[in-house]
Amino acid sequence: MTTYTDRQKEIIDVSINIIAEKGIQQLTIKNISKSMKISEPAIYRHFDGKMEILLAILLNFKEYGHSISTDVTSKKLTTIEQLESVIMNHIRQFTAKPALAAVIFSEEIFQNDKRLAEQVRAIMQTNQSMIINIIERGQQTNEIRNDIPAKHLSIMVMGALRLLVTKWRLSQYSFNLQQEGAELWRSLNLLLTA
Amino acid sequence: MTTYTDRQKEIIDVSINIIAEKGIQQLTIKNISKSMKISEPAIYRHFDGKMEILLAILLNFKEYGHSISTDVTSKKLTTIEQLESVIMNHIRQFTAKPALAAVIFSEEIFQNDKRLAEQVRAIMQTNQSMIINIIERGQQTNEIRNDIPAKHLSIMVMGALRLLVTKWRLSQYSFNLQQEGAELWRSLNLLLTA
Amino acid sequence: MTTYTDRQKEIIDVSINIIAEKGIQQLTIKNISKSMKISEPAIYRHFDGKMEILLAILLNFKEYGHSISTDVTSKKLTTIEQLESVIMNHIRQFTAKPALAAVIFSEEIFQNDKRLAEQVRAIMQTNQSMIINIIERGQQTNEIRNDIPAKHLSIMVMGALRLLVTKWRLSQYSFNLQQEGAELWRSLNLLLTA
Amino acid sequence: MTTYTDRQKEIIDVSINIIAEKGIQQLTIKNISKSMKISEPAIYRHFDGKMEILLAILLNFKEYGHSISTDVTSKKLTTIEQLESVIMNHIRQFTAKPALAAVIFSEEIFQNDKRLAEQVRAIMQTNQSMIINIIERGQQTNEIRNDIPAKHLSIMVMGALRLLVTKWRLSQYSFNLQQEGAELWRSLNLLLTA
DNA sequence: AATGAATGAGATTTCATTCAT
DNA sequence: TATGAATGAAATCTCATTCAT
């Protein structure tokens, strides 16, 4: 479990915001330092280089996903409730910090570099495993329909969530994600339990 | 309907390939010209600048999406068959030209610039309208279940497709997209008609 | 006496206009050809290169100055009338074709190149000689005051004219040059004959 | 009152020299940096871009003109002595730093850009106002002849000075400006007081 | 921990010019 | 006489990074 200094956390945060607002191409050391009102060389006190910052952003997401996962499965909930919790947790996070949405579902951003791409793949894998796991348990207890493989159901659930968030972002956050998310979940619920 | 010269088409094609293989950041005039074995200034004979190339890539997608759409709706098919056709057409295209997949679902790439972002939004809107339209007609004829809004069903269908393709790409095309796509469609079919 | 084809004259004319409107830095082969609605290589049919065009512009001025000179001295006029004629002729020309004013008094434009700079110097020398010559004859006939060297009087007359035209141009031709020129000449006349 | 760092002053100085020696077209970032024996990007530490350098050159002239003006009018001098002082001051400056002459009277150089052109116009306006002001006071005290408008006298004085300096420069500084300037002033003096 | 100054590499773009047709 | 395509050279500017302080 990597821990970061306050300054490092600040850099990660500022970087996510820059990516969200202006795109990856504008994530430059100059822009980071300008946002933080410090000089450019100062950044190198805290990270060895730009790549390390990007890696830190990804590790940040990894641990955040992990925390949601353990949080959910520790409680005594039905599998449907667990799914709902995971999805609505995510949506709450995005609403609170839209910048997150711009980065977390934009794997393309990190395809530049082997190490980053591998991290991205790992994170996605982890998230999907968690969802599949919940769904499979639901299918065992007949809470969730059995006629469709858990893998496909997870693709639909995650895919729908991702697309909703992407549309929200591309629309420049012009609709109420929390509300639309809740409605989408209701529909997903219907599908899963039919 | 914009038409392009052969050289322009070549530039668009090469650019899509570069984005797919090395990411947007490597889409430089130098890399394009290197791929085409011409000099950098030569590119400017054919496009006014990099922005115009990116716009051309997007317009390319727009017309390609449009052609699939008109193609499908002109034939006498059930709405389910129409959906299947749209989805499997897309998947066939991606299989034939994986570079396409890397760009077409990566809206983030174009968020850099106002004009590009607007194009992306428009394309997405068009595609979604087409899907919703088919689903709504299916609901009217009771081919497709009525208890879930067409909008949500379209998000699930498109979202699932997008996510499958993204995973395929992140896995470096390590599975058979055509086959997995067909299986996913079978599951989607079950959901829609239940 | 160099003669130019119609196409060459057109190129010279268009070039003078470009310099006047957008400055020397915008006098590019591309801009010339765009103004003439022909292709860039077509220019090279008519001139060996950009330098030759600039030289032609200067030679144009040379002959134009020469023609004014011979025109004036051939007529039977007092020296004061000759000076007036020269000055008002110039001013009429500038009013008719403001672009001329932007180039003819802007020697700096041509300092780039040895050959051009030499031409500029020669033209200036010729013009000054003509004025000095008229003034000296006026001093011999006591039409023009004798207490000041002809050289200095010529500098004042030409200097004042140049400055007036420069101000007219910098003001974006916002005053009536013809009228202000006539008034200035009246004052010059007073000074010369006092 | 803008103040510049030493490095900025150095850049301004070097730039004026380049313009004087090789013309505006050779005022490139590369040439500036070469003259200063630093790298090209280093220039951008000190100025945001080439335009800012050109603006700084102009502001430099503005304040320099202002300083001459206040310097002169503060002393107890007749108006003729004031004019002499202004003119000879300018000439001394040019003799000491010929590069200045190449830029200060070459408004054409800056016509490229709106902002620069406006600065040039303002500077010229200021200088002329100062001269007219002195002359008008001279006319009120009958030191300077009253039969010619101050505006015209100022055009003659400034025009003559400008033309002399221009000739000096075009002749590659081949005559003694200080001496010829003093002689020209004597003639101007005669004209003004006649 | 932070900064001012600097740099090598490289990006986009413009320019004058050439060549095959 | 004209053009479409191309190019070497060079201009402006950005970027990640280093170093002395």
Side-chain angles (χ1 to χ4, degrees), chain D residues 4-174:
Chain D
Y4 294 109
T5 64
D6 285 356
R7 222 34 170 168
Q8 283 180 316
K9 284 180 204 149
E10 201 183 340
I11 290 173
I12 293 171
D13 210 53
V14 158
S15 297
I16 290 173
N17 282 328
I18 290 172
I19 293 175
E21 283 163 28
K22 310 187 209 157
I24 249 280
Q25 317 233 39
Q26 289 303 308
L27 182 69
T28 62
I29 300 293
K30 183 176 222 140
N31 280 343
I32 296 172
S33 62
K34 210 187 285 172
S35 279
M36 295 178 66
K37 298 189 184 184
I38 58 175
S39 71
E40 295 175 53
I43 302 291
Y44 291 88
R45 276 273 142 208
H46 305 286
F47 283 104
D48 274 352
K50 196 179 165 180
M51 194 61 72
E52 305 304 316
I53 297 176
L54 288 166
L55 265 175
I57 293 174
L58 287 176
L59 289 175
N60 201 42
F61 290 159
K62 206 175 196 171
E63 285 175 16
Y64 147 80
H66 194 68
S67 73
I68 281 190
S69 156
T70 49
D71 189 48
V72 160
T73 50
S74 68
K75 290 177 191 153
K76 292 263 181 274
L77 299 170
T78 65
T79 52
I80 285 289
E81 283 168 341
Q82 284 181 19
L83 274 186
E84 176 174 3
S85 179
V86 167
I87 288 173
M88 294 314 290
N89 259 345
H90 267 110
I91 284 180
R92 248 191 308 280
Q93 288 271 356
F94 294 144
T95 310
K97 187 162 177 45
L100 221 59
V103 183
I104 211 167
F105 286 158
S106 307
E107 294 84 8
E108 298 70 23
I109 287 178
F110 301 98
Q111 292 307 304
N112 228 358
D113 173 86
K114 284 260 158 91
R115 275 157 76 209
L116 297 179
E118 175 50 30
Q119 280 296 324
V120 165
R121 217 194 46 71
I123 292 171
M124 206 170 190
Q125 185 65 37
T126 306
N127 287 336
Q128 201 199 2
S129 294
M130 172 185 56
I131 302 281
I132 289 186
N133 195 270
I134 297 176
I135 291 177
E136 277 174 346
R137 280 187 287 114
Q139 290 180 320
Q140 278 156 22
T141 60
N142 278 321
E143 271 182 273
I144 294 178
R145 64 193 288 175
N146 263 301
D147 59 339
I148 294 175
K151 195 173 107 185
H152 286 170
L153 289 177
S154 87
I155 288 184
M156 291 172 208
V157 170
M158 283 185 69
L161 175 61
R162 288 170 63 100
L163 184 49
L164 180 68
V165 173
T166 298
K167 283 159 61 86
W168 177 59
R169 188 160 51 74
L170 294 187
S171 79
Q172 300 197 65
Y173 317 108
S174 68

Side-chain angles (χ1 to χ4, degrees), chain C residues 11-153:
Chain C
I11 291 172
I12 293 171
D13 209 53
V14 159
S15 298
I16 291 173
N17 282 327
I18 290 172
I19 293 174
E21 283 163 29
K22 311 187 209 155
I24 243 282
Q25 318 231 39
Q26 290 302 309
L27 182 69
T28 63
I29 299 293
K30 186 179 206 156
N31 280 344
I32 295 172
S33 60
K34 210 188 285 172
S35 279
M36 296 178 64
K37 298 187 185 187
I38 58 174
S39 73
E40 296 170 57
I43 302 289
Y44 290 87
R45 281 278 144 198
H46 305 286
F47 284 104
D48 275 352
K50 197 179 164 180
M51 195 61 72
E52 305 305 316
I53 297 175
L54 287 166
L55 266 175
I57 292 174
L58 287 175
L59 289 175
N60 199 44
F61 290 159
K62 205 175 198 170
E63 287 175 16
Y64 147 79
H66 195 66
S67 72
I68 280 189
S69 156
T70 49
D71 189 47
V72 160
T73 51
S74 67
K75 292 177 191 152
K76 291 267 181 270
L77 299 169
T78 65
T79 51
I80 286 289
E81 283 167 340
Q82 284 181 15
L83 273 185
E84 176 175 2
S85 179
V86 167
I87 288 174
M88 294 314 290
N89 259 345
H90 266 109
I91 284 180
R92 248 190 307 281
Q93 287 270 357
F94 293 144
T95 310
K97 187 161 177 44
L100 222 62
V103 182
I104 210 167
F105 287 159
S106 307
E107 296 83 7
E108 299 70 22
I109 288 177
F110 302 97
Q111 291 308 304
N112 229 356
D113 174 84
K114 283 265 157 85
R115 277 157 75 210
L116 297 178
E118 175 49 32
Q119 280 296 324
V120 165
R121 218 195 45 71
I123 292 172
M124 207 169 188
Q125 186 62 41
T126 306
N127 286 336
Q128 202 199 4
S129 295
M130 172 185 56
I131 302 280
I132 290 187
N133 195 268
I134 297 176
I135 291 177
E136 277 175 345
R137 279 187 287 114
Q139 289 179 321
Q140 278 157 21
T141 60
N142 276 322
E143 268 182 277
I144 295 177
R145 63 194 289 174
N146 262 302
D147 59 338
I148 295 175
K151 195 172 107 186
H152 286 171
L153 289 177

